[in-house]
Amino acid sequence: MYKNTEGYADPTAGEAMANISREERQREAERLAAIGDLMPIIRQTAALVGFEIVNRITFRDKATGREYR
């Protein structure tokens, strides 16, 4: 149960915070799925032109600035 700064139960704010957290987790899962779809394409593209990926590739989400390694 979510409690406000004074220590009293605040179910409305708690529900709102839970909804926000759920949406953030969903967005993060969508970003990770997109990276999962992108990596095979990058590997295949490199292979088509005679290269292979040797080190890790870092992606930066333009909207959030978060980096994925």
Side-chain angles (χ1 to χ4, degrees):
M1 165 128 340
Y2 181 80
K3 295 186 178 187
N4 63 17
T5 57
E6 295 175 351
Y8 294 103
D10 193 348
T12 304
E15 187 176 334
M17 295 292 281
N19 288 339
I20 290 169
S21 294
R22 187 178 323 109
E23 290 172 5
E24 288 175 354
R25 284 191 308 272
Q26 178 65 29
R27 274 189 243 122
E28 182 68 15
E30 290 170 0
R31 288 183 187 111
L32 291 173
I35 291 172
D37 293 340
L38 180 60
M39 280 307 300
I41 295 169
I42 292 173
R43 284 191 184 106
Q44 290 173 358
T45 304
L48 283 173
V49 294
F51 291 94
E52 66 181 347
I53 298 173
V54 177
N55 291 321
R56 297 188 99 159
I57 297 175
T58 302
F59 295 100
R60 179 179 293 128
D61 187 330
K62 287 183 176 182
T64 64
R66 181 164 181 197
E67 290 186 359
Y68 297 90
R69 297 186 170 136

Coordinates of all heavy atoms in Angstrom, one line a residue:
M1 N 0.8 -1.2 0.0 CA 0.0 0.0 0.0 C 0.9 1.2 0.0 O 1.8 1.3 0.8 CB -0.9 0.0 1.2 CG -1.5 1.3 1.5 SD -3.3 1.5 1.7 CE -4.1 0.1 1.0
Y2 N 0.6 2.2 -0.9 CA 1.3 3.4 -1.0 C 0.9 4.3 0.1 O -0.3 4.5 0.5 CB 1.0 4.1 -2.3 CG 1.8 5.4 -2.5 CD1 3.1 5.4 -2.9 CD2 1.1 6.6 -2.4 CE1 3.8 6.5 -3.1 CE2 1.8 7.8 -2.5 CZ 3.1 7.7 -2.9 OH 3.8 8.9 -3.1
K3 N 1.9 5.0 0.7 CA 1.6 6.0 1.8 C 2.2 7.3 1.4 O 3.2 7.4 0.7 CB 2.2 5.5 3.1 CG 1.6 4.3 3.6 CD 2.1 3.9 5.0 CE 1.4 2.6 5.4 NZ 1.7 2.3 6.8
N4 N 1.5 8.4 1.7 CA 1.9 9.7 1.4 C 3.1 10.1 2.3 O 3.5 9.4 3.2 CB 0.8 10.7 1.4 CG 0.2 10.9 2.8 OD1 0.8 10.5 3.8 ND2 -1.0 11.4 2.8
T5 N 3.6 11.4 2.2 CA 4.7 11.8 2.9 C 4.4 11.9 4.4 O 5.3 11.8 5.2 CB 5.2 13.2 2.5 OG1 4.1 14.1 2.5 CG2 5.7 13.1 1.0
E6 N 3.2 12.0 4.8 CA 2.8 12.0 6.2 C 2.6 10.6 6.8 O 2.3 10.5 8.0 CB 1.6 12.9 6.4 CG 1.8 14.3 6.0 CD 0.5 15.2 6.1 OE1 -0.6 14.6 6.2 OE2 0.6 16.4 5.9
G7 N 2.7 9.6 5.9 CA 2.5 8.2 6.4 C 1.1 7.7 6.3 O 0.9 6.5 6.8
Y8 N 0.2 8.4 5.8 CA -1.2 7.9 5.7 C -1.3 7.2 4.3 O -0.7 7.5 3.3 CB -2.2 9.1 5.7 CG -2.2 9.8 7.0 CD1 -1.6 11.0 7.2 CD2 -2.9 9.2 8.1 CE1 -1.6 11.6 8.4 CE2 -2.9 9.8 9.4 CZ -2.2 11.0 9.5 OH -2.3 11.7 10.7
A9 N -2.2 6.2 4.3 CA -2.5 5.4 3.1 C -3.1 6.3 2.1 O -4.0 7.1 2.4 CB -3.4 4.2 3.5
D10 N -2.6 6.2 0.9 CA -3.1 7.0 -0.2 C -3.3 6.1 -1.5 O -2.5 6.0 -2.3 CB -2.1 8.1 -0.6 CG -2.7 9.2 -1.5 OD1 -3.8 8.9 -2.0 OD2 -2.1 10.2 -1.6
P11 N -4.4 5.3 -1.5 CA -4.6 4.4 -2.6 C -4.7 5.0 -4.0 O -4.3 4.4 -5.0 CB -5.9 3.7 -2.2 CG -6.6 4.6 -1.3 CD -5.6 5.4 -0.6
T12 N -5.2 6.2 -4.1 CA -5.4 6.8 -5.4 C -4.0 7.1 -6.0 O -3.7 6.8 -7.1 CB -6.2 8.1 -5.3 OG1 -7.5 7.8 -4.7 CG2 -6.4 8.8 -6.7
A13 N -3.1 7.7 -5.2 CA -1.8 8.0 -5.6 C -1.0 6.7 -5.9 O -0.2 6.6 -6.8 CB -1.0 8.9 -4.6
G14 N -1.2 5.7 -5.0 CA -0.6 4.4 -5.2 C -1.0 3.8 -6.5 O -0.1 3.2 -7.2
E15 N -2.2 3.8 -6.9 CA -2.7 3.3 -8.1 C -2.1 4.0 -9.3 O -1.7 3.4 -10.3 CB -4.2 3.3 -8.2 CG -4.8 2.6 -9.4 CD -6.3 2.6 -9.4 OE1 -6.9 2.6 -8.3 OE2 -6.9 2.5 -10.5
A16 N -2.0 5.4 -9.2 CA -1.4 6.2 -10.3 C 0.0 5.8 -10.5 O 0.5 5.7 -11.6 CB -1.6 7.7 -10.0
M17 N 0.8 5.7 -9.4 CA 2.2 5.3 -9.4 C 2.4 3.9 -10.0 O 3.3 3.7 -10.8 CB 2.8 5.4 -8.0 CG 2.8 6.7 -7.4 SD 4.0 7.8 -8.3 CE 5.5 7.3 -7.6
A18 N 1.5 3.0 -9.7 CA 1.6 1.6 -10.3 C 1.3 1.7 -11.8 O 2.0 1.0 -12.5 CB 0.5 0.7 -9.6
N19 N 0.4 2.5 -12.2 CA 0.1 2.6 -13.6 C 1.3 3.2 -14.4 O 1.7 2.7 -15.5 CB -1.1 3.5 -13.9 CG -2.4 2.8 -13.5 OD1 -2.5 1.6 -13.4 ND2 -3.4 3.6 -13.3
I20 N 2.0 4.2 -13.8 CA 3.1 4.8 -14.4 C 4.3 3.8 -14.5 O 4.9 3.6 -15.6 CB 3.6 6.1 -13.7 CG1 2.6 7.2 -13.8 CG2 5.0 6.5 -14.1 CD1 2.7 8.4 -12.9
S21 N 4.5 3.0 -13.4 CA 5.5 2.0 -13.4 C 5.2 0.9 -14.5 O 6.2 0.5 -15.2 CB 5.6 1.4 -12.1 OG 6.1 2.3 -11.1
R22 N 4.0 0.5 -14.6 CA 3.6 -0.5 -15.6 C 3.9 0.0 -17.0 O 4.4 -0.7 -17.8 CB 2.2 -0.9 -15.4 CG 1.7 -2.0 -16.3 CD 0.3 -2.4 -16.1 NE -0.2 -2.3 -14.7 CZ -1.1 -1.4 -14.3 NH1 -1.6 -0.5 -15.1 NH2 -1.5 -1.4 -13.0
E23 N 3.5 1.2 -17.3 CA 3.8 1.8 -18.6 C 5.3 1.9 -18.9 O 5.7 1.6 -20.0 CB 3.1 3.2 -18.7 CG 1.6 3.2 -18.7 CD 1.0 4.5 -18.6 OE1 1.7 5.5 -18.7 OE2 -0.3 4.6 -18.6
E24 N 6.1 2.3 -17.9 CA 7.5 2.4 -18.1 C 8.1 1.0 -18.4 O 9.0 0.9 -19.3 CB 8.2 3.0 -16.9 CG 7.9 4.5 -16.8 CD 8.5 5.1 -15.5 OE1 9.0 4.3 -14.7 OE2 8.4 6.3 -15.4
R25 N 7.7 0.0 -17.7 CA 8.2 -1.4 -17.9 C 7.8 -1.8 -19.3 O 8.5 -2.5 -20.0 CB 7.6 -2.3 -16.8 CG 8.3 -2.2 -15.5 CD 8.0 -3.3 -14.6 NE 6.5 -3.5 -14.4 CZ 5.8 -2.9 -13.5 NH1 6.3 -2.1 -12.7 NH2 4.5 -3.2 -13.4
Q26 N 6.5 -1.5 -19.7 CA 6.1 -1.9 -21.1 C 6.9 -1.2 -22.1 O 7.3 -1.9 -23.1 CB 4.6 -1.5 -21.3 CG 4.1 -1.9 -22.6 CD 4.0 -3.4 -22.9 OE1 3.9 -4.2 -22.0 NE2 4.2 -3.7 -24.1
R27 N 7.2 0.1 -22.0 CA 8.1 0.8 -23.0 C 9.5 0.2 -23.0 O 10.0 0.0 -24.1 CB 8.1 2.3 -22.6 CG 7.0 3.0 -23.2 CD 7.2 4.5 -23.1 NE 6.1 5.0 -22.2 CZ 6.2 5.6 -21.1 NH1 7.4 5.9 -20.6 NH2 5.1 6.0 -20.4
E28 N 10.0 -0.2 -21.9 CA 11.3 -0.8 -21.8 C 11.3 -2.1 -22.5 O 12.3 -2.5 -23.2 CB 11.8 -0.9 -20.4 CG 13.2 -1.5 -20.2 CD 14.2 -0.5 -20.7 OE1 14.0 0.7 -20.9 OE2 15.4 -1.0 -20.8
A29 N 10.3 -2.9 -22.3 CA 10.2 -4.2 -22.9 C 10.1 -4.0 -24.5 O 10.7 -4.8 -25.2 CB 9.0 -5.0 -22.4
E30 N 9.4 -3.0 -24.9 CA 9.3 -2.8 -26.4 C 10.7 -2.4 -26.9 O 11.0 -2.8 -28.0 CB 8.3 -1.7 -26.6 CG 6.8 -2.1 -26.4 CD 5.8 -1.0 -26.4 OE1 6.2 0.2 -26.6 OE2 4.6 -1.3 -26.2
R31 N 11.4 -1.5 -26.2 CA 12.8 -1.1 -26.7 C 13.7 -2.3 -26.8 O 14.4 -2.5 -27.8 CB 13.4 -0.1 -25.7 CG 12.7 1.3 -25.8 CD 13.4 2.2 -24.9 NE 12.7 3.5 -24.9 CZ 12.0 3.9 -23.8 NH1 12.0 3.2 -22.7 NH2 11.4 5.0 -23.8
L32 N 13.7 -3.2 -25.8 CA 14.5 -4.4 -25.8 C 14.1 -5.3 -26.9 O 15.0 -5.9 -27.5 CB 14.4 -5.1 -24.4 CG 15.1 -4.4 -23.3 CD1 14.9 -5.1 -22.0 CD2 16.6 -4.2 -23.5
A33 N 12.8 -5.4 -27.2 CA 12.4 -6.3 -28.3 C 12.9 -5.7 -29.6 O 13.3 -6.5 -30.5 CB 10.8 -6.4 -28.3
A34 N 12.8 -4.4 -29.8 CA 13.3 -3.7 -31.0 C 14.8 -4.0 -31.2 O 15.2 -4.3 -32.3 CB 13.0 -2.2 -30.9
I35 N 15.6 -4.0 -30.1 CA 17.0 -4.2 -30.2 C 17.2 -5.7 -30.6 O 18.1 -6.0 -31.4 CB 17.7 -3.9 -28.9 CG1 17.7 -2.4 -28.8 CG2 19.2 -4.4 -28.9 CD1 18.3 -1.9 -27.4
G36 N 16.4 -6.6 -30.0 CA 16.5 -8.0 -30.4 C 16.2 -8.3 -31.8 O 16.7 -9.2 -32.5
D37 N 15.3 -7.5 -32.4 CA 15.0 -7.6 -33.8 C 16.1 -7.0 -34.7 O 16.3 -7.4 -35.8 CB 13.6 -6.9 -34.2 CG 12.5 -7.6 -33.5 OD1 12.6 -8.8 -33.2 OD2 11.4 -6.9 -33.4
L38 N 16.7 -5.9 -34.2 CA 17.7 -5.2 -34.9 C 19.0 -5.9 -35.1 O 19.7 -5.9 -36.1 CB 17.9 -3.8 -34.3 CG 18.9 -2.9 -34.9 CD1 18.5 -2.6 -36.3 CD2 19.0 -1.6 -34.1
M39 N 19.5 -6.6 -34.0 CA 20.8 -7.2 -34.0 C 21.0 -8.3 -35.2 O 22.0 -8.2 -35.8 CB 21.1 -7.9 -32.7 CG 21.6 -6.9 -31.7 SD 22.9 -5.9 -32.2 CE 24.2 -7.1 -32.5
P40 N 20.0 -9.2 -35.4 CA 20.3 -10.1 -36.5 C 20.4 -9.4 -37.9 O 21.1 -9.8 -38.7 CB 19.0 -11.0 -36.5 CG 18.5 -10.9 -35.2 CD 18.8 -9.5 -34.7
I41 N 19.7 -8.3 -38.1 CA 19.7 -7.6 -39.3 C 21.1 -6.9 -39.5 O 21.7 -7.0 -40.5 CB 18.6 -6.5 -39.3 CG1 17.2 -7.1 -39.3 CG2 18.8 -5.5 -40.5 CD1 16.1 -6.1 -39.1
I42 N 21.7 -6.4 -38.4 CA 23.0 -5.8 -38.4 C 24.0 -6.9 -38.7 O 24.9 -6.7 -39.5 CB 23.3 -5.0 -37.1 CG1 22.4 -3.8 -37.0 CG2 24.8 -4.7 -37.0 CD1 22.5 -3.1 -35.7
R43 N 23.9 -8.0 -38.1 CA 24.9 -9.1 -38.3 C 24.8 -9.6 -39.8 O 25.8 -9.8 -40.4 CB 24.6 -10.3 -37.4 CG 25.0 -10.0 -36.0 CD 24.9 -11.3 -35.1 NE 25.3 -11.0 -33.8 CZ 24.5 -11.0 -32.8 NH1 23.2 -11.2 -33.0 NH2 24.9 -10.7 -31.6
Q44 N 23.6 -9.8 -40.3 CA 23.4 -10.2 -41.7 C 24.0 -9.2 -42.6 O 24.6 -9.6 -43.6 CB 22.0 -10.5 -42.0 CG 21.4 -11.7 -41.3 CD 19.9 -11.9 -41.4 OE1 19.3 -11.1 -42.0 NE2 19.4 -13.0 -40.9
T45 N 23.7 -7.9 -42.4 CA 24.2 -6.9 -43.3 C 25.7 -6.9 -43.3 O 26.4 -6.8 -44.4 CB 23.7 -5.5 -42.8 OG1 22.3 -5.5 -42.7 CG2 24.2 -4.4 -43.7
A46 N 26.4 -7.0 -42.1 CA 27.8 -7.1 -42.1 C 28.3 -8.3 -42.8 O 29.3 -8.2 -43.6 CB 28.3 -7.1 -40.6
A47 N 27.7 -9.4 -42.7 CA 28.1 -10.7 -43.4 C 27.9 -10.5 -44.9 O 28.8 -11.0 -45.6 CB 27.3 -11.8 -42.8
L48 N 26.9 -9.8 -45.3 CA 26.7 -9.7 -46.8 C 27.8 -8.9 -47.4 O 28.1 -9.2 -48.6 CB 25.4 -8.9 -47.0 CG 24.1 -9.8 -46.9 CD1 22.9 -8.9 -47.0 CD2 24.1 -10.9 -47.9
V49 N 28.4 -8.0 -46.7 CA 29.5 -7.2 -47.3 C 30.9 -7.7 -46.9 O 31.9 -7.0 -47.1 CB 29.4 -5.7 -47.0 CG1 28.1 -5.2 -47.7 CG2 29.3 -5.4 -45.5
G50 N 30.9 -8.9 -46.2 CA 32.2 -9.5 -45.9 C 32.8 -9.1 -44.6 O 34.0 -9.3 -44.4
F51 N 32.0 -8.7 -43.6 CA 32.5 -8.3 -42.3 C 31.8 -9.2 -41.3 O 30.8 -9.8 -41.5 CB 32.3 -6.9 -42.0 CG 33.1 -5.9 -42.9 CD1 32.6 -5.4 -44.1 CD2 34.4 -5.6 -42.5 CE1 33.4 -4.6 -44.8 CE2 35.2 -4.8 -43.2 CZ 34.7 -4.3 -44.4
E52 N 32.4 -9.1 -40.1 CA 31.7 -9.7 -38.9 C 31.8 -8.7 -37.7 O 32.8 -7.9 -37.7 CB 32.3 -11.1 -38.5 CG 33.7 -11.0 -38.0 CD 34.3 -12.4 -37.7 OE1 33.5 -13.3 -37.6 OE2 35.5 -12.5 -37.5
I53 N 30.9 -8.8 -36.8 CA 30.9 -7.9 -35.7 C 31.9 -8.6 -34.6 O 31.7 -9.7 -34.3 CB 29.5 -7.8 -35.1 CG1 28.6 -7.1 -36.2 CG2 29.5 -7.0 -33.8 CD1 27.2 -7.0 -35.8
V54 N 32.8 -7.8 -34.2 CA 33.8 -8.3 -33.3 C 33.6 -7.9 -31.8 O 33.7 -8.7 -30.9 CB 35.2 -7.8 -33.7 CG1 36.3 -8.3 -32.7 CG2 35.5 -8.3 -35.1
N55 N 33.2 -6.7 -31.6 CA 32.9 -6.2 -30.3 C 31.5 -5.9 -30.1 O 30.7 -5.9 -31.0 CB 33.8 -4.9 -30.0 CG 35.3 -5.2 -29.9 OD1 35.6 -6.2 -29.3 ND2 36.1 -4.3 -30.5
R56 N 31.2 -5.4 -28.9 CA 29.8 -5.1 -28.6 C 29.4 -3.8 -29.3 O 30.2 -2.9 -29.6 CB 29.7 -4.8 -27.1 CG 30.0 -6.0 -26.2 CD 29.6 -5.6 -24.8 NE 28.3 -6.2 -24.6 CZ 27.8 -6.5 -23.4 NH1 28.5 -6.2 -22.3 NH2 26.7 -7.0 -23.2
I57 N 28.1 -3.8 -29.6 CA 27.5 -2.6 -30.2 C 26.7 -1.9 -29.2 O 25.9 -2.5 -28.5 CB 26.7 -3.0 -31.5 CG1 27.5 -3.6 -32.5 CG2 25.9 -1.8 -32.0 CD1 26.7 -4.1 -33.7
T58 N 26.8 -0.6 -29.1 CA 26.1 0.2 -28.1 C 25.0 1.0 -28.9 O 25.3 1.6 -29.8 CB 27.0 1.1 -27.3 OG1 28.0 0.4 -26.7 CG2 26.2 1.9 -26.3
F59 N 23.8 0.9 -28.4 CA 22.7 1.6 -29.0 C 22.2 2.7 -28.0 O 22.2 2.5 -26.8 CB 21.5 0.7 -29.2 CG 21.7 -0.3 -30.3 CD1 22.0 -1.6 -29.9 CD2 21.7 0.0 -31.6 CE1 22.3 -2.6 -30.9 CE2 21.9 -0.9 -32.6 CZ 22.2 -2.2 -32.2
R60 N 21.9 3.9 -28.5 CA 21.4 5.0 -27.6 C 20.0 5.3 -28.1 O 19.8 5.6 -29.3 CB 22.3 6.2 -27.7 CG 21.7 7.3 -26.8 CD 22.5 8.6 -26.7 NE 23.8 8.3 -26.1 CZ 24.9 8.6 -26.6 NH1 25.0 9.1 -27.8 NH2 26.1 8.3 -25.9
D61 N 19.0 5.3 -27.2 CA 17.7 5.6 -27.5 C 17.6 7.1 -27.7 O 17.9 7.9 -26.7 CB 16.7 5.1 -26.4 CG 15.3 5.3 -26.7 OD1 14.9 6.3 -27.5 OD2 14.5 4.5 -26.2
K62 N 17.2 7.6 -28.8 CA 17.2 9.1 -29.1 C 16.2 9.8 -28.2 O 16.4 10.9 -27.8 CB 16.8 9.4 -30.5 CG 18.0 9.0 -31.5 CD 17.6 9.4 -32.9 CE 18.7 9.2 -33.9 NZ 18.3 9.7 -35.2
A63 N 15.1 9.1 -27.9 CA 14.0 9.7 -27.1 C 14.4 9.9 -25.6 O 14.2 10.9 -25.0 CB 12.7 8.9 -27.2
T64 N 15.1 8.8 -25.0 CA 15.4 8.9 -23.6 C 16.8 9.1 -23.3 O 17.2 9.5 -22.2 CB 15.0 7.5 -23.0 OG1 15.8 6.5 -23.5 CG2 13.5 7.2 -23.2
G65 N 17.7 8.8 -24.3 CA 19.1 9.0 -24.1 C 19.7 7.8 -23.4 O 20.9 7.7 -23.1
R66 N 18.9 6.8 -23.1 CA 19.4 5.6 -22.4 C 20.3 4.7 -23.4 O 19.9 4.6 -24.6 CB 18.3 4.7 -21.9 CG 18.8 3.5 -21.2 CD 17.8 2.8 -20.4 NE 18.4 1.7 -19.8 CZ 17.8 0.7 -19.2 NH1 16.5 0.7 -19.2 NH2 18.4 -0.3 -18.7
E67 N 21.4 4.2 -22.9 CA 22.2 3.3 -23.7 C 22.0 1.9 -23.4 O 21.8 1.5 -22.3 CB 23.7 3.7 -23.5 CG 24.1 5.1 -24.0 CD 25.5 5.4 -23.9 OE1 26.3 4.5 -23.4 OE2 25.9 6.5 -24.3
Y68 N 22.0 1.1 -24.5 CA 21.9 -0.4 -24.4 C 23.1 -1.0 -24.9 O 23.6 -0.7 -26.0 CB 20.6 -0.8 -25.2 CG 19.4 -0.3 -24.7 CD1 18.9 0.9 -25.2 CD2 18.6 -0.9 -23.7 CE1 17.7 1.5 -24.7 CE2 17.4 -0.4 -23.2 CZ 17.0 0.8 -23.7 OH 15.8 1.3 -23.3
R69 N 23.7 -2.0 -24.2 CA 24.9 -2.6 -24.5 C 24.7 -4.1 -24.6 O 23.9 -4.7 -24.0 CB 26.0 -2.4 -23.5 CG 26.3 -0.9 -23.5 CD 27.5 -0.6 -22.6 NE 27.8 0.7 -22.8 CZ 28.1 1.6 -21.9 NH1 28.2 1.2 -20.7 NH2 28.4 2.8 -22.2

